[in-house]
Structure formats: C-alpha cells, structure tokens
Amino acid sequence: MGTIGEQVVVGREFSREIEPARVPPGGRRFAIAAEPAERAALARRLDLEAIGRLAVEGLVGRGRGGETVTVEGRLLAEVTQLCVLTLEPVESRLEVPIRRIFATGPAPALDEIVVDPLQDEPEPLEGSAIDLGAIAAEELVLALDPYPRAA
C-alpha cells in the first residue's frame, strides 16, 4: 500500500498490468484472480474481515481510432464484513459489471469542458499500462455495503 500525501493509492496489493499497445484490434479477453496473500493484504487495508474470492473477467478492447482502451467485464467477489450493530461476520457475494474507458493519447487543450452525463468519458491513462488489479480493487470498494447488517 502506498500513499501520496493524504491520498491512498488503490490497487497495489493486487496488480495485473496490461499495456494498451499490446491489445490487438479485436481486443483481448482476460481472467485474473487475486492470490490468498493479495486478498489478505487488501482486506487489511479495506478493514474487512476477509476476502474469500476476488476475480475479474472480461475484455480489453480498442476504440475511437486507437485513442481509447475499454475494459469491460465483471467483478466476482466473496467478502466478510462485520455487522455495524452486532459486530457479527456478514458474508456477501458480489457480481458487479465493470466498464472503464481510458484515453491513451494526450489530453486535448480545451478552453471549456462539456460533460455529457449520458456518455462515458474516458479517464486519462496514467503511465503506460492499465492495472486490471487496481480496477478490481476500486470496483470492490464501490460495491461494498457501507452498513452491513447480520440477519
């Protein structure tokens, strides 16, 4: 786990990188899964009792004349959190669709930014690779129940 100032760098416990330049025109299918040590480290950072499974499967594809790379697939996870009332373990199975678009070229210089809420906007690609493990960790954080409750 790393930090930059006060910002936590997500996904270093579980890292699987793919270079956009190596993605063929038809795309590349992928299936990744976190190893037990990776799941344990991520569970500690996210303050979870356990992560029994963390996997992502899908397709990395090119779009917009090669200026974007799209990651589409689904996250599969089994997590154990503590109930917010009783502190009993609460197990959950998550299946979450993933769709992320990355801009591979330089950002255009704009005087004005127009955001269309109905269209997916590409994220700038930081570095030369897309970290599928970091995407999985981010999507897991977003899918977790913030207030888990025992039955």
Side-chain angles (χ1 to χ4, degrees):
M1 170 175 65
T3 60
I4 301 173
E6 294 296 316
Q7 181 181 4
V8 175
V9 178
V10 177
R12 293 296 162 211
E13 296 87 354
F14 176 39
S15 182
R16 303 289 189 280
E17 294 185 341
I18 185 167
E19 294 180 28
R22 294 180 162 251
V23 176
R28 173 179 285 160
R29 291 205 118 346
F30 70 91
I32 62 170
E35 298 295 325
E38 294 169 322
R39 293 192 314 263
L42 190 57
R44 274 192 304 275
R45 183 168 59 79
L46 299 179
D47 200 24
L48 299 173
E49 286 300 293
I51 299 175
R53 179 180 185 201
L54 179 58
V56 181
E57 55 187 33
L59 177 73
V60 177
R62 295 175 150 214
R64 292 189 194 170
E67 293 179 11
T68 62
V69 174
T70 303
V71 177
E72 290 186 276
R74 66 186 178 135
L75 169 82
L76 304 165
E78 295 173 3
V79 299
T80 304
Q81 298 174 271
L82 293 181
C83 173
V84 294
L85 298 175
T86 64
L87 300 179
E88 292 179 38
V90 177
E91 295 182 1
S92 319
R93 290 179 186 245
L94 304 170
E95 185 170 335
V96 180
I98 295 173
R99 179 172 167 79
R100 303 282 282 275
I101 302 172
F102 296 91
T104 57
L110 301 172
D111 293 334
E112 184 177 313
I113 297 175
V114 178
V115 177
D116 182 352
L118 301 178
Q119 184 170 343
D120 291 329
E121 295 292 328
E123 301 175 41
L125 180 61
E126 296 179 15
S128 61
I130 295 171
D131 190 341
L132 299 173
I135 291 171
E138 291 169 4
E139 295 292 334
L140 175 63
V141 168
L142 294 171
L144 289 172
D145 184 349
Y147 304 104
R149 290 188 163 192

